[in-house]
């Protein structure tokens, strides 16, 4: 048997265990506090354990989002109640309950695997479940499910994992990054998933993010894990915010550079001024650099993988990136020309 391809960090394992513990405990306590129901009716049902697995171990799954969780469990429970009432044979009732619940969840777009277990459990649940009838879908199943959802939202968001999960929407149109205008987009992934016709339970936006991360990782591997510090220019001409635009222009002309980081006296980067910022200004202009500089400015660290520069420079249109040290002080600058040269050597010359 092959192991799962998913590797979990320690924080995720702890979150999964503690979240499931808190969720099941609170669900059972809440349901037990609701009065009514025949004797012997369970406060919490077994399928909630499977729901807890999805909510706390795989909260980004489409199967673990609030609508499929709540609707899937509730609808399937109602199907189980109906099967138990209409069919005397327990085996037949169980088979029909699951056989109807699964396609119904698919049609209603609320597929949640524990829903099948809810249908099965309800159809064969015995006298107490049968006596409670349709209300079993509200209590304990509905109450248990709702409490688990609330705990999942609390635990996941407090530990840095947004829930409900919403993938970042792709940017399109003239203002979008080049790689998203002409490259792989979420709708391309959705169309491919549709053509595969294998019922892939994953959101196209998440696939797109995964592919782009894999591309960046592959590029980083191809570049030999090259870091920005290896190609940055260390002898950097700078100006301070209160220096004049005239001085900035003179520095660019004298040293044949097209951008100057704007720094404080202790060399902390507060902006950047480029030749494009000065293009339409008078040759002699004594206004301060702070008037036209770009601020805040995007910076990178010397240990940043060169592969990350591709996204910053190609997608965001940046041509010059100041490099800062561990104390956020200017350490150098990297330009698009240097990045292109490195990529050419790595991808063409190798």
């Amino acid at each position: 048997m092959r192991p799962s391809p998913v590797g979990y960090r320690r924080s995720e394992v702890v979150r999964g265990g503690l979240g499931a513990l808190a969720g099941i405990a609170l669900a059972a306590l809440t349901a037990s506090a609701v009065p009514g129901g025949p004797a012997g009716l369970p406060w919490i049902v077994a399928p909630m354990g499977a729901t807890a697995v999805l909510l706390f171990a795989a909260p980004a799954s489409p199967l673990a989002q609030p609508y499929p969780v709540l609707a899937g469990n509730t609808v399937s429970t109602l199907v189980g109640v109906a099967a138990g009432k209409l069919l005397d044979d327990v085996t037949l009732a169980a088979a029909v309950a699951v056989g109807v619940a699964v396609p119904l969840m698919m049609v209603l777009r609320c597929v949640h695997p524990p829903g099948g277990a809810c249908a099965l459990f309800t159809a064969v649940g015995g006298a107490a479940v049968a006596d409670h009838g349709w209300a079993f879908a509200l209590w304990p199943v509905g109450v248990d499910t709702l409490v688990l959802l609330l705990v999942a939202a609390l635990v996941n968001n407090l530990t840095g994992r947004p829930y409900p999960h919403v993938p970042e929407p792709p940017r399109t149109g003239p203002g979008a990054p080049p790689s998203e205008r002409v490259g792989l987009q979420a709708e391309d992934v959705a169309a491919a998933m549709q053509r595969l016709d294998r019922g892939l339970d994953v959101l196209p936006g998440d696939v797109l993010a995964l592919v782009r991360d894999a591309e960046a990782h592959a590029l980083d591997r191809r570049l030999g894990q090259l870091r920005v510090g290896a190609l940055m220019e260390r002898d950097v001409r700078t100006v301070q915010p209160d220096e004049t635009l005239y001085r900035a222009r003179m520095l660019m002309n004298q040293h044949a550079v097209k951008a100057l980081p704007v720094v404080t006296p202790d060399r902390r980067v507060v902006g950047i001024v480029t030749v494009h910022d000065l293009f339409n200004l008078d040759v002699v202009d004594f206004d301060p650099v702070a008037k036209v500089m770009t601020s805040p400015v995007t910076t990178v660290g010397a240990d940043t993988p060169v592969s990350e520069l591709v996204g910053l420079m190609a997608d965001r249109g940046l041509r010059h990136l100041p490099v800062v040290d561990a104390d956020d002080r200017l350490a150098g600058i990297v330009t698009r020309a240097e990045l292109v040269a490195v990529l050419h050597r790595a991808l063409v010359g190798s």
Side-chain angles (χ1 to χ4, degrees), residues 91-136:
T91 302
L92 182 59
V96 170
V98 178
V100 173
V102 170
L104 186 58
M105 286 190 291
M106 295 171 70
V107 170
L108 296 177
R109 295 183 175 274
C110 61
V111 174
H112 182 59
C118 285
L120 177 62
F121 179 89
T122 308
V124 300
V129 175
D131 291 343
H132 204 41
W134 304 108
F136 191 74

Side-chain angles (χ1 to χ4, degrees), residues 206-238:
D206 292 330
V207 176
L208 183 60
L210 180 64
V211 169
R212 287 182 175 160
D213 186 69
E215 288 175 341
H217 184 272
L219 180 59
D220 191 35
R221 174 172 45 80
R222 187 72 181 269
L223 292 173
Q225 296 184 339
L226 185 65
R227 296 298 184 256
V228 168
L231 60 97
M232 70 181 185
E233 174 62 44
R234 297 178 184 274
D235 185 17
V236 186
R237 305 299 168 181
T238 64

Side-chain angles (χ1 to χ4, degrees), residues 190-204:
M193 292 169 63
Q194 186 69 27
R195 287 193 297 270
L196 282 173
D197 193 24
R198 295 178 183 171
L200 298 177
D201 291 314
V202 64
L203 297 172

Side-chain angles (χ1 to χ4, degrees), residues 7-17 56-57 161:
Y8 293 100
R9 295 188 294 271
R10 180 178 298 177
S11 60
E12 293 175 323
V13 173
V14 173
R15 175 176 55 211
F56 299 104
R161 187 152 192 179

Side-chain angles (χ1 to χ4, degrees), residues 168-172 176-189 204-220 307-308 310-311 315:
E168 182 179 350
R171 290 174 289 172
T172 58
S179 67
E180 294 186 358
R181 288 202 303 269
V182 300
L184 187 65
Q185 298 182 9
E187 51 264 35
D188 300 323
V189 175
D206 292 330
V207 176
L208 183 60
L210 180 64
V211 169
R212 287 182 175 160
D213 186 69
E215 288 175 341
H217 184 272
L219 180 59
D220 191 35
S307 59
E308 292 187 14
V310 176
D315 289 352

Side-chain angles (χ1 to χ4, degrees), residues 134-195:
W134 304 108
F136 191 74
L138 298 178
W139 176 71
V141 173
V143 173
D144 290 342
T145 303
L146 186 59
V147 173
L148 278 173
L149 281 171
L150 293 175
V151 174
L154 184 65
V155 169
N156 282 304
N157 284 291
L158 287 179
T159 55
R161 187 152 192 179
Y163 182 85
H165 174 71
V166 179
E168 182 179 350
R171 290 174 289 172
T172 58
S179 67
E180 294 186 358
R181 288 202 303 269
V182 300
L184 187 65
Q185 298 182 9
E187 51 264 35
D188 300 323
V189 175
M193 292 169 63
Q194 186 69 27
R195 287 193 297 270

